[in-house]
Amino acid sequence: MTLARLAALHGVATSYAPSADRTVPVPDATVVAVLAALGVDAATPEAVSASLDAAERAVAARLLPPTVVHWHAPDPSSAPPLPPPSIAALPPGTRVRVETEGGGAADWTAPGGTKAAGPEVPWPDLPLGIHQATARTPDGRTARTTLVVAPERTPQPPDRTHGFLVQLYSLLSARSWGMGDLGDLAEVAAWAGRSVGAGFLQVNPLHAAVPGTPTDPSPYRPSSRRFPDPVHLRIEDIPEYAYVRERKRLDELLKAADALRRSVLDDGELIDRDAVWTLKREALEAVHAVPLGPGRRAAYCDYLAHQGQALEDHATWCALAERYGPDWTRWPGALRDPRSAATARARRELIDRIDFHTRLAWLTDTQLAAAQRAARDAGMAVGLVHDLAVGVHPQGADAWAQQRTFARGMSVGAPPDAFNARGQDWGLPPWRPDVLAASGYAPYRGLLRDLLRHAGALRIDHVMGLFRLWWVPRGEEPTAGTYVRYDAEAMLAVLVLEAHRAGAVVIGEDLGTVEPGVREALSRRGVLGTSVLWFERDWEGTGRPLPPAAWREACVATATTHDLPSTAARLTGEHVGLRHRLGLLTRPLAEEQAEDAAEVGEWLAYLARLGLLPEGARGEEGAVRAVYRFLLRTPARMVGVWLPDAVGDRRPQNLPGTWDQYPNWRLPVAGPDGRPLALEDVVSSPRLHGLMRVFASGPGTGTAGARTRTAPPGARPT
């Protein structure tokens, strides 16, 4: 019981419930290891008692938590503002001074004090922002806290909009250097907005990757989530490119890039990110040698000033990785500390390389801005939807620069469930909730602010991580993990505030194991969910497909995701054959095929009964259109079209449970025959335009009816 009390004080679960009727205890060894990662000694019974006594005394003596949230009422004039509960509970007569981020100040006195303590004043109507509050009690005790004043909800999308979901690397144009780039993103955004009335374009995470041979191709295991990867640059769009003197070498690089692109589009080779970066890096070195003009130099300096220490740390890691390799845990000892004297000396010695990498970050930022401008200029109501991965690579730049914020020896994953009996370990170190709170959530705030700079919306992968994450001690199986709680109110307040400042919609990927109350809390703050057709069933009743009117309104409705089969593969059953060939099935092939065929047949029959299948059940293209007609019948605010669905691609971009058995994250968009399609072929595809006519005519948006709680499948695919 003593260990359980200690764990509870630090948000560490000692049991979890994979289903409503089952509770699983967490091994004591796991609890001890997780507490150690939080700086709490629980190695012996004596240590547990001492740590518990210290924790309880700290709680009893604490005037205020390190971060306090105040939700700003939409109409403060309707009622006098009330202080946050933790401030309202301060001893009578306590004086609180709030220093706002804009340089102002406001004072408040807790009611019930003596005249000597000062007059009581109403709680001030504070501006939105990140403020600092200092409390002083009549007996002289003081406390300082970060006060987050946030609006009650995030911005919302227009009444109804549709758009495309695309993995940028997979969409190559005639100008690409072997993989899709930011120039392609701007082109497809301009086309989608003007030609087919799309309101948004959702892309995979564009975070900076960890360099290596080979580079980890997954966009969900990046080196840094804050800064984009320069491999996405369109080299020819950089203004200084025109002034490079070594034109002969640039011409050679262009020929090599053309050959690389043709190897993918014409010869069916996989996308080779490392080969693309080798060519682009050499070109960027030549571009970097061109001096910036006065205006460009001023813009670059503004970017450096805005990014500050975070960018310097990122660029320093990149420069040190060039010299010592990408795994910072193997660097010379003192360089493993970003604040050591040795690292400071290295910064001075490597100033040219650091400038190279900060310049690349700036160039990528400018092209991201251009892509969002292209989307909005094309009439998109939302524009680009960027994707925030759930974590970072343990050897990458963020893990080095923010290592005191990450829990040592821990990895994020998912517990065992009906869909994955062994659980999952994603190999991503988690943020420490205590350090985040003590910093006023500064790393989280900076991350969100940068991602929202050029976004109309932000998708948050595994949004349940704002509430709790499954921590797995290093060397243990995922089954030996446990949940660690975060201050969800503070995490949501920072998210809502930054989204409000950017005028951006927020989408939460809430598929998988979702504890009760999470979806409701997200919806209350305006965060849209994610609803996938095949998982939307009346799980608490008949188990049949959920009627379109019963879908939730506050969601992005899709037919599939990057971790799931394309709609064509689902309808034809090809995804079962693929998993069989790779040895991923857990039951006999015939049994899997029969179950899959029954599910597809049930859906097709339902679509036909709704009058959404005028082409008949035998036509694959007609069935794909029927699926999207169904999505348009739901009240969902946003409807996402998986771009490969529009051209009949059969292959998933990522197949969970595989590593080198399947070319995850390396496939170009292809047609039904598997032949790769260039961007120019995609946008002129008759099949795509046939599908888009569904959106032009629209079978009706439906109305919001009675809601039935849905249960998307098990754990998040990786």
Side-chain angles (χ1 to χ4, degrees), residues 33-91:
V34 170
L35 286 171
L38 292 170
V40 180
D41 185 3
T44 64
E46 295 76 17
V48 170
S49 296
S51 294
L52 178 61
D53 180 62
E56 290 178 334
R57 282 188 286 105
V59 170
R62 188 179 70 186
L63 281 176
L64 289 171
T67 298
V68 172
V69 170
H70 177 56
W71 297 104
H72 197 283
D75 183 12
S77 63
S78 62
L82 298 175
S86 56
I87 290 180
L90 288 168

Side-chain angles (χ1 to χ4, degrees), residues 377-528:
D377 289 348
M380 284 191 173
V382 176
L384 300 184
V385 181
H386 289 296
D387 198 350
L388 172 59
V390 69
V392 296
H393 198 291
Q395 298 171 5
D398 284 1
W400 174 74
Q402 303 172 21
Q403 56 192 271
R404 292 175 178 83
T405 309
F406 289 99
R408 292 179 181 272
M410 293 290 143
S411 177
V412 174
D417 57 31
F419 296 87
N420 195 323
R422 298 183 61 185
Q424 299 179 57
D425 183 346
W426 303 334
L428 310 169
W431 268 338
R432 284 181 52 166
D434 56 332
V435 177
L436 277 182
S439 72
Y441 294 85
Y444 178 51
R445 286 188 275 123
L447 170 61
L448 291 174
R449 200 165 295 180
D450 271 0
L451 286 175
L452 290 165
R453 277 168 61 84
H454 310 303
L458 179 66
R459 174 192 180 270
I460 300 180
D461 191 41
H462 193 68
V463 72
M464 297 80 77
L466 301 181
F467 296 77
R468 65 178 185 176
L469 282 172
W470 184 258
W471 288 22
V472 181
R474 181 182 299 156
E476 299 291 339
E477 292 295 320
T479 52
T482 190
Y483 279 113
V484 176
R485 289 211 168 272
Y486 292 75
D487 185 342
E489 184 178 41
M491 298 286 277
L492 281 172
V494 171
L495 174 62
V496 173
L497 174 63
E498 295 302 336
H500 170 81
R501 286 171 156 167
V505 175
V506 178
I507 302 160
E509 185 268 292
D510 56 352
L511 305 175
T513 302
V514 185
E515 66 176 322
V518 166
R519 288 195 176 100
E520 292 78 4
L522 293 169
S523 179
R524 188 163 58 250
R525 296 304 169 199
V527 178
L528 304 185

Side-chain angles (χ1 to χ4, degrees), residues 15-266:
S15 66
Y16 67 98
S19 60
D21 58 349
R22 181 168 171 249
T23 299
V24 178
V26 173
D28 285 353
T30 296
V31 176
V32 170
V34 170
L35 286 171
L38 292 170
V40 180
D41 185 3
T44 64
E46 295 76 17
V48 170
S49 296
S51 294
L52 178 61
D53 180 62
E56 290 178 334
R57 282 188 286 105
V59 170
R62 188 179 70 186
L63 281 176
L64 289 171
T67 298
V68 172
V69 170
H70 177 56
W71 297 104
H72 197 283
D75 183 12
S77 63
S78 62
L82 298 175
S86 56
I87 290 180
L90 288 168
T94 299
R95 293 181 174 181
V96 178
R97 163 153 283 219
V98 179
E99 298 167 349
T100 67
E101 68 176 18
D107 296 290
W108 178 78
T109 303
T114 64
K115 291 184 179 180
E120 297 174 8
V121 296
W123 180 252
D125 182 18
L126 296 168
L128 300 176
I130 307 295
H131 314 310
Q132 298 299 315
T134 304
R136 183 179 297 276
T137 65
D139 62 4
R141 291 180 295 155
T142 62
R144 188 170 176 83
T145 186
T146 298
L147 178 60
V148 181
V149 180
E152 292 192 329
R153 288 171 61 82
T154 63
Q156 296 298 290
D159 292 339
R160 163 59 73 90
T161 186
H162 68 273
F164 290 104
L165 318 178
V166 60
Q167 303 286 292
L168 179 57
Y169 60 85
S170 72
L171 193 59
L172 292 73
S173 73
R175 298 180 180 180
S176 304
W177 286 32
M179 61 182 281
D181 60 34
L182 293 174
D184 297 323
L185 182 60
E187 288 286 349
V188 75
W191 163 80
R194 287 187 167 88
S195 298
V196 295
F200 66 91
L201 186 64
Q202 180 179 306
V203 296
N204 57 284
L206 303 181
H207 309 321
V210 176
T213 307
T215 301
D216 186 340
S218 173
Y220 291 94
R221 204 161 179 248
S223 171
S224 173
R225 294 188 293 175
R226 183 162 181 171
F227 298 101
D229 199 309
V231 76
H232 299 113
L233 282 167
R234 170 67 64 81
I235 302 296
E236 298 92 324
D237 286 353
I238 301 171
E240 288 72 35
Y241 174 84
Y243 301 98
V244 173
R245 293 185 176 181
E246 295 294 329
R247 305 308 303 181
K248 181 178 179 182
R249 182 53 187 155
L250 283 186
D251 289 342
E252 292 172 349
L253 291 174
L254 285 171
K255 289 180 181 178
D258 181 66
L260 196 57
R261 178 179 61 253
R262 291 179 182 279
S263 72
V264 174
L265 295 177
D266 298 341

Side-chain angles (χ1 to χ4, degrees), residues 12 36 66 142 200 247 267 504 548 586 595:
V12 179
T142 62
F200 66 91
R247 305 308 303 181
D267 303 333
T586 58
E595 181 178 295

